[in-house]
């Protein structure tokens, strides 16, 4: 069952059960949730010394020591600048207003198995398990990422890259896999849209508060993910994005996915950072080859040349790489199923009027195709269900028939 959309307050703690690390029949107390909300704001992720203190004495005692300044020098260096920021109640109320909740390791919904890898020795340089997660969306996060793949790539993506990311995400959604990405322009946005078009789940991991739409051009996309998928951040409400926060959040993208697919990446890019973290976590790293003349694919080709990643060219190959042993073997690629087959008549005219590189409105499609607007609005969802059209922020975009 989907969890309540409202964030718990001190008077109404969550009903979710605590994690296996601290088994109990009771839900996390209001004090635990408030303590973790406080610590989430006062320390910039990832605060290794503070996390060690929480593990040793518990979140409530750790919060009391931080407030009083009775901590070691290493913990003080991570918390002293913000320890007077007593905004836990305010943050929970602010999140509740946008239908969110605070998720803590003591909750049943906490994705403990994906985060186990963050605590291995090889992954320590990437940062460990979050102190808490601020979440929007109607789905249980642990269940959502039980079978998940991260798709990442360049913000300045080519048409080829965006097409491949959208097609792969659509196919993964159809195969029952959750698509995890970072909601950025380019490959990330195409992956989220493809998963939504495929009727599947997608998880957007942000480098800012979940109440903050970034980038601004993805406000509509993020709102849709919050309604139909899950939006996640370890940053408290109202926190704005910053360069270092993108690098920090990349470890969560890699951890929540059972493997990572890099669609396009330059020689120096955030996608290559996520790829390095994926390898440190011991997860499968996959890349999509691109044209040898494309600067957007230089990073992908380097990963292949160095033997750090495997090449994938189909959804089946991705599922086989990260799927359950013996259950998700790749087969020969099949033709895209479509109840319409190749579009005919008015459907063909509407299909041909769709944008190739960007979306166009249904009114533009009607004028271009000569098909009445009401009929266009009836045919577009059918084309989408057939995998021939994709709804994006700007309108409707064509997906090529194979």
């Amino acid at each position: 069952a989907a969890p309540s959309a409202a964030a718990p307050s001190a008077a109404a703690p969550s009903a979710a059960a605590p994690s296996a690390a601290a088994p109990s029949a009771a839900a996390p107390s209001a004090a635990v949730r408030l303590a973790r909300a406080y610590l989430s704001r006062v320390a910039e992720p990832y605060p290794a010394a503070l996390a060690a203190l929480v593990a040793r004495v518990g979140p409530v005692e750790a919060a009391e020591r931080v407030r009083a300044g009775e901590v070691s020098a290493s913990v003080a260096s991570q918390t002293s600048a913000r320890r007077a920021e007593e905004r836990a109640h305010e943050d929970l109320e602010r999140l509740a207003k946008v239908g969110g909740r605070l998720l803590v390791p003591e909750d049943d919904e906490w994705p403990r198995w994906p985060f186990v890898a963050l605590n291995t020795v090889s992954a320590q340089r990437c940062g460990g398990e979050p102190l808490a997660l601020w979440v929007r969306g109607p789905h249980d996060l642990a269940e959502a990422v039980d079978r998940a793949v991260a798709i990442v790539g360049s913000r300045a993506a080519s048409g080829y890259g965006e097409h491949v990311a959208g097609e792969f995400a659509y196919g993964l959604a159809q195969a029952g896999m959750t698509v995890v990405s970072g909601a950025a322009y380019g490959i990330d946005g195409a992956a989220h849209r493809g998963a939504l078009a495929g009727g599947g789940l997608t998880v957007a991991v942000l480098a800012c508060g979940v109440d903050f739409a970034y980038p601004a051009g993805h406000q509509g996309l993020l709102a849709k993910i919050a309604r139909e998928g899950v939006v996640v951040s370890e940053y408290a409400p109202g926190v704005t994005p910053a360069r270092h926060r993108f690098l920090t959040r990349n470890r969560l993208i890699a951890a929540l996915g059972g493997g990572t697919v890099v669609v396009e990446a330059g020689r120096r890019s955030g996608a290559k950072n996520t790829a390095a973290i994926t390898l440190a976590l011991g997860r499968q790293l996959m890349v999509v080859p691109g044209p040898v003349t494309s600067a957007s694919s230089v990073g992908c080709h380097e990963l292949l040349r160095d033997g750090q990643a495997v090449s994938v060219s189909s959804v089946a190959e991705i599922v086989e790489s990260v799927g359950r042993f013996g259950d998700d073997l790749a087969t020969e690629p099949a033709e895209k199923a479509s109840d319409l087959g190749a579009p005919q008549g008015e459907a063909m005219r509407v299909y041909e009027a769709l944008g190739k590189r960007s979306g166009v409105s249904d009114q533009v499609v009607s004028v271009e195709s000569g098909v009445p607007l009401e009929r266009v609005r009836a045919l577009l969802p059918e084309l989408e269900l057939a995998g021939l059209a994709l709804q994006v922020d700007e309108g409707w975009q064509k997906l090529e028939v194979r």
Side-chain angles (χ1 to χ4, degrees), residues 343-354 365 368-372:
Q344 302 293 329
E346 289 183 335
M348 172 59 80
R349 288 157 58 189
V350 169
Y351 174 74
E352 290 297 330
L354 298 177
V365 173
E368 182 68 23
S369 66
V371 177

Side-chain angles (χ1 to χ4, degrees), residues 57-372:
V57 303
V60 176
E61 176 65 21
E64 290 177 356
R65 293 188 186 186
V66 168
R67 286 189 188 96
E70 298 173 352
V71 292
S72 66
S74 57
V75 174
S77 69
Q78 296 171 350
T79 60
S80 61
R82 300 178 186 166
R83 67 186 179 91
E85 293 281 303
E86 291 283 358
R87 295 169 57 179
H89 285 284
E90 177 187 338
D91 285 338
L92 292 171
E93 290 170 2
R94 181 171 180 171
L95 193 61
K97 288 179 180 178
V98 294
R101 61 194 182 277
L102 179 68
L103 190 60
V104 298
E106 291 81 6
D107 282 319
D108 232 8
E109 190 189 345
W110 188 259
R112 60 183 56 84
W113 288 117
F115 285 160
V116 163
L118 288 173
N119 297 317
T120 62
V121 173
S122 61
Q124 282 304 300
R125 64 186 180 86
C126 308
E129 187 173 13
L131 293 173
L133 290 172
W134 303 86
V135 177
R136 294 176 66 189
H139 299 280
D140 181 296
L141 181 59
E143 292 180 1
V145 298
D146 181 54
R147 298 185 72 212
V149 178
I151 298 181
V152 298
S154 174
R155 287 174 170 81
S158 67
Y160 160 81
E162 291 195 7
H163 175 76
V164 169
E167 286 282 278
F168 278 7
Y170 181 95
L172 289 166
Q174 294 270 295
M177 304 287 286
T178 295
V179 173
V180 181
S181 198
Y185 288 132
I187 298 303
D188 289 15
H192 289 307
R193 292 188 186 97
L196 291 169
L201 284 178
T202 187
V203 175
V205 186
L206 306 186
C208 56
V210 295
D211 60 335
F212 193 96
Y214 185 87
H218 279 175
Q219 182 173 0
L221 175 62
L222 285 166
K224 188 170 186 179
I225 296 173
R227 292 193 303 270
E228 301 178 18
V230 187
V231 180
V232 177
S233 178
E234 60 186 322
Y235 296 97
V239 173
T240 56
R243 181 176 176 80
H244 67 277
R245 290 175 181 149
F246 287 100
L247 297 176
T248 300
R249 71 88 194 263
N250 286 348
R251 81 188 196 286
L252 301 187
I253 294 176
L256 292 173
T260 298
V261 180
V262 182
V263 178
E264 285 187 322
R267 182 169 279 110
R268 294 171 59 85
S269 68
K272 286 198 70 177
N273 173 256
T274 306
I277 295 171
T278 299
L279 293 171
L281 296 179
R283 304 281 169 82
Q284 181 68 62
L285 179 62
M286 299 154 277
V287 300
V288 177
V292 295
T293 55
S294 173
S296 298
S297 293
V298 169
C300 293
H301 298 154
E302 286 182 347
L303 290 169
L304 285 174
R305 187 173 63 250
D306 295 343
Q308 296 179 299
V310 297
S311 171
V312 289
S313 58
S314 70
V315 170
E317 290 173 357
I318 297 171
V319 173
E320 182 180 81
S321 294
V322 301
R324 293 185 172 90
F325 184 76
D327 290 339
D328 297 312
L329 300 178
T331 57
E332 289 299 313
E335 292 294 317
K336 182 182 292 183
S338 170
D339 292 338
L340 295 174
Q344 302 293 329
E346 289 183 335
M348 172 59 80
R349 288 157 58 189
V350 169
Y351 174 74
E352 290 297 330
L354 298 177
K356 292 183 178 180
R357 293 292 182 90
S358 59
V360 295
S361 69
D362 50 7
Q363 291 93 342
V364 170
V365 173
S366 177
V367 172
E368 182 68 23
S369 66
V371 177

